[in-house]
């Protein structure tokens, strides 16, 4: 029991860790990771239009 409580406490607090890296933002410049799901503009417009029609038609 003497070791169990500290182990449980450490395990519970480990979920609170947050990466502290700072990203400096500049207007109009994307500095994130490349998006591997990017499609051409037309394909993206078709997908978004279809999704919009499926969800928003009842409103």
């Amino acid at each position: 029991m003497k070791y169990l409580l500290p182990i449980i406490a450490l395990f519970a607090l480990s979920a609170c860790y947050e990466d502290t890296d700072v990203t400096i933002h500049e207007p109009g410049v994307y500095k994130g990771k490349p998006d591997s799901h990017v499609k051409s503009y037309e394909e993206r417009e078709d997908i978004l239009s279809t999704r919009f029609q499926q969800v928003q038609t009842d409103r």
Side-chain angles (χ1 to χ4, degrees):
M1 188 67 165
K2 181 170 126 178
Y3 297 110
L4 184 61
L5 188 58
I7 290 173
I8 291 173
L10 286 173
F11 181 72
L13 292 174
S14 68
C16 297
Y17 176 75
E18 184 176 327
D19 192 17
T20 57
D21 289 343
V22 176
T23 302
I24 306 292
H25 297 281
E26 295 177 25
V29 178
Y30 179 72
K31 295 196 173 197
K33 296 177 185 174
D35 188 2
S36 61
H37 296 90
V38 173
K39 299 179 185 278
S40 72
Y41 180 77
E42 292 81 19
E43 287 177 299
R44 184 176 20 222
E45 285 295 315
D46 290 340
I47 291 169
L48 291 176
S49 176
T50 302
R51 186 183 306 163
F52 179 78
Q53 294 301 324
Q54 289 173 343
V55 177
Q56 297 294 326
T57 55
D58 62 338
R59 297 182 185 160

